[in-house]
Amino acid sequence: MSLLDAARDVRENAYAPYSKFKVGAAVRGASGTIYRGVNVENVAYPEGTCAEAGAIAAMVAAGETELVEVAVIADSPAPVPPCGGCRQKLAEFGRGSVPVTLATTAGARLDTTIGDLLPGRFDASHMDNV
């Protein structure tokens, strides 16, 4: 199964009763294992969880801390990029060169990288004097 197929399949499990905007995400850990996540809304906005954050949490819960590929899919007119917080989360666990596929359920696709999504990222090297 491709990473995009994994994101597409899990998207249906999103909990989006308020926005009706379901998002699916999948990340591939360095081991090759695929971890999936969906957006989970809460009536107390903005207390929900993004799909990318859910996939990363599943990866970390399984004991992995490096991702090597990302896919995100939503039913939208154009591919939906991760929010700012999720861009930073992706940068925490993946190198700038990690490929990111953004897609729509209708088939539109944008291929990018974590580095392109978050140029000038804040990372552990900024903490060297701490």
Side-chain angles (χ1 to χ4, degrees):
M1 172 178 284
S2 79
L3 200 63
L4 187 54
D5 288 338
R8 180 179 289 109
D9 288 349
V10 77
R11 181 185 159 274
E12 290 305 314
N13 296 338
Y15 181 75
Y18 308 105
S19 72
K20 310 291 190 239
F21 190 73
K22 293 183 174 187
V23 180
V27 299
R28 186 181 312 277
S31 71
T33 302
I34 294 174
Y35 303 96
R36 298 164 177 86
V38 296
N39 57 316
V40 178
E41 294 180 349
N42 188 301
V43 70
Y45 282 126
E47 295 302 315
T49 303
C50 296
E52 300 90 335
I56 290 168
M59 179 186 75
V60 172
E64 290 204 59
T65 57
E66 181 184 0
L67 58 87
V68 297
E69 188 180 1
V70 179
V72 181
I73 190 167
D75 183 14
S76 60
V80 177
C83 71
C86 284
R87 291 175 194 218
Q88 185 64 47
K89 288 174 182 72
L90 291 169
E92 180 72 19
F93 297 99
R95 298 172 193 245
S97 61
V98 165
V100 178
T101 300
L102 306 173
T104 69
T105 56
R109 181 177 169 148
L110 173 66
D111 293 307
T112 188
T113 64
I114 289 176
D116 288 341
L117 287 172
L118 190 62
R121 71 192 221 177
F122 178 77
D123 62 27
S125 70
H126 293 99
M127 304 291 286
D128 284 346
N129 289 338
V130 176

